[in-house]
Amino acid sequence: MTLRIDIGGLPSERVRFAASPLAELTAMLHVLAEPGHHPQFAGWAADVWAGLRPELAERLREAEFLWRSSQADFLIPARPRQALAEELDDVDRIDDETYVTAALVTTCGSNRVHFRGASPLTDTTARERALDLAQARGALQEAFAERLLADPATVRARVRDTLEECAEAFFDGAWAGVAVQLATDLRLKNELLRRQGVGAALASVSGAVTLAPDGDCIVVDKVQDKATAARGAGVTFIPSVFGRPHLVAVHAPGWHPVVQYPVAEPSPTEPVSLETVTLRLEALAHPVRLRLLRTLARGPHTTGELANFWELSPPEVSRHLAVLRRAGLLTPRRDGRYVRYSLNLPDLTALGTDLLAAVLR
């Protein structure tokens, strides 16, 4: 499962790397809403909540649907600016229909297909559908959707005011702390882009982001099957410190493709692909293979030993071992005329973590 961004015919300079204050603020707000996704920032989140004025804390809970389960597209800008205020000005220039539809997608936990191309602001059926979806998500989501549809201008102004208050309360200080990390990362990415091309720059973003062999498509390893095109506007990559472990992608029709990626840690580990995680889960789904792993967990064994122990035929054991080997869960070692198989304990132990990382990505 992947997100594919068509960049066929796109000049390399249209693949841009830039920092965004608004996108990083959005990442921080997501940390505050879902601290369980970001255990490394749990202490920071607790300190921020403890220091917030009650009114601002209530405002954040009121609008958290814009950044909790997913981020509203207008909060991840395709054309980052130097200052948060400039990016908020750009958001203000978005028409109500585009803003409201993007906000409802996150508030309702839905996809734009539910609205069938009609605007919930003007189409009664689309409006009722949006409110039904919001209601199913909870009373707070329903109330937010009702206010947004009834008076988008007031809600938009309130959201901006809330974000500006966040800047004063905690963002400005945190932004000063991460700006150096972001600038360092951007220097690396832009130097790679200039000297070695798009493929090298993408490889430095994450093992989950690659350039297709023909060079016409960026492939993002995500739990989704989606496609979009960069076309003349290009594609923007935004580094994030608070976004780890998420790889956020704007890909909806009408929006310029944007990927917000986590800045590498001092000793980064290469992310395991969703394909590999799926392969390992499928390999473990068979009861015979689980029995073989149980024996191999006690030490190396040959095919014949495993066949005798479990009263299976050697060819049957060989077939199951081949599946486990393809999944990277076994290590063979030849000793004379024998081949003994050992359990790949580190990768098996990390499977739960790898699965969570793939889902959160």
Side-chain angles (χ1 to χ4, degrees):
M1 290 182 278
T2 59
L3 166 65
R4 303 178 68 84
I5 304 173
D6 183 0
I7 59 169
L10 193 73
S12 60
E13 61 268 20
R14 295 292 176 85
V15 177
R16 65 180 68 88
F17 289 83
S20 163
L22 179 56
E24 193 67 6
L25 171 56
T26 303
M28 293 179 191
L29 292 172
H30 175 74
V31 171
L32 293 176
E34 287 285 6
H37 290 184
H38 310 269
Q40 71 274 33
F41 293 120
W44 174 86
D47 288 344
V48 170
W49 279 118
L52 289 181
R53 292 186 302 102
E55 182 187 357
L56 179 55
E58 182 58 32
R59 281 191 171 204
L60 290 181
R61 295 186 182 95
E62 170 189 289
E64 69 175 10
F65 324 111
L66 297 176
W67 50 73
R68 182 166 194 159
S69 59
S70 61
Q71 288 78 20
D73 290 339
F74 52 77
L75 295 177
I76 314 291
R79 294 184 176 85
R81 310 285 189 177
Q82 291 292 319
L84 176 63
E86 293 177 302
E87 293 185 322
L88 292 175
D89 288 343
D90 288 341
V91 173
D92 287 344
R93 296 185 186 100
I94 299 172
D95 63 85
D96 280 350
E97 183 175 322
T98 301
Y99 185 103
V100 168
T101 302
L104 287 175
V105 168
T106 57
T107 303
C108 302
S110 70
N111 189 284
R112 286 165 178 77
V113 70
H114 289 297
F115 303 131
R116 303 186 185 281
S119 169
L121 286 176
T122 57
D123 185 89
T124 302
T125 301
R127 180 188 184 89
E128 291 176 353
R129 178 59 174 160
L131 292 175
D132 284 346
L133 289 167
Q135 185 180 48
R137 300 271 289 174
L140 288 177
Q141 287 94 327
E142 181 184 16
F144 181 82
E146 287 178 344
R147 291 194 301 271
L148 183 65
L149 288 168
D151 190 355
T154 298
V155 173
R156 292 180 63 165
R158 184 175 176 85
V159 168
R160 171 164 183 159
D161 185 60
T162 299
L163 297 177
E164 290 175 333
E165 286 193 38
C166 287
E168 182 178 347
F170 63 85
F171 172 73
D172 288 344
W175 176 252
V178 304
V180 174
Q181 288 177 262
L182 299 179
T184 300
D185 181 83
L186 288 172
R187 280 195 297 272
L188 170 65
K189 300 296 188 293
N190 284 305
E191 185 68 9
L192 284 171
L193 185 63
R194 184 176 68 85
R195 290 181 175 274
Q196 300 181 37
V198 174
L202 295 180
S204 72
V205 167
S206 166
V209 181
T210 57
L211 185 66
D214 61 9
D216 285 343
C217 185
I218 296 171
V219 182
V220 184
D221 189 47
K222 295 273 285 181
V223 187
Q224 57 188 231
D225 280 310
K226 301 288 184 180
T228 187
R231 306 194 187 283
V235 57
T236 303
F237 286 85
I238 299 175
S240 174
V241 171
F242 280 80
R244 177 171 297 279
H246 302 304
L247 195 63
V248 178
V250 174
H251 56 78
W255 295 89
H256 299 159
V258 184
V259 176
Q260 184 186 33
Y261 64 91
V263 171
E265 294 175 327
S267 299
T269 56
E270 193 69 13
V272 175
S273 71
L274 179 60
E275 180 182 4
T276 298
V277 173
T278 303
L279 193 65
R280 289 174 179 171
L281 291 174
E282 290 173 347
L284 296 173
H286 199 288
V288 171
R289 292 196 279 273
L290 286 176
R291 294 188 190 108
L292 297 178
L293 288 178
R294 175 182 172 83
T295 303
L296 291 170
R298 299 169 180 169
H301 286 73
T302 66
T303 300
E305 289 174 322
L306 293 168
N308 289 333
F309 188 87
W310 290 106
E311 298 181 350
L312 300 167
S313 69
E316 183 179 4
V317 172
S318 293
R319 286 194 295 272
H320 287 299
L321 292 178
V323 173
L324 293 167
R325 284 187 63 185
R326 284 196 296 272
L329 297 176
L330 296 183
T331 301
R333 176 171 295 178
R334 180 170 289 280
D335 183 10
R337 57 191 289 254
Y338 297 103
V339 175
R340 291 187 172 86
Y341 294 90
S342 300
L343 194 59
N344 189 341
L345 278 173
D347 285 350
L348 186 60
T349 302
L351 182 56
T353 302
D354 292 338
L355 174 60
L356 181 61
V359 171
L360 291 180
R361 189 158 64 228

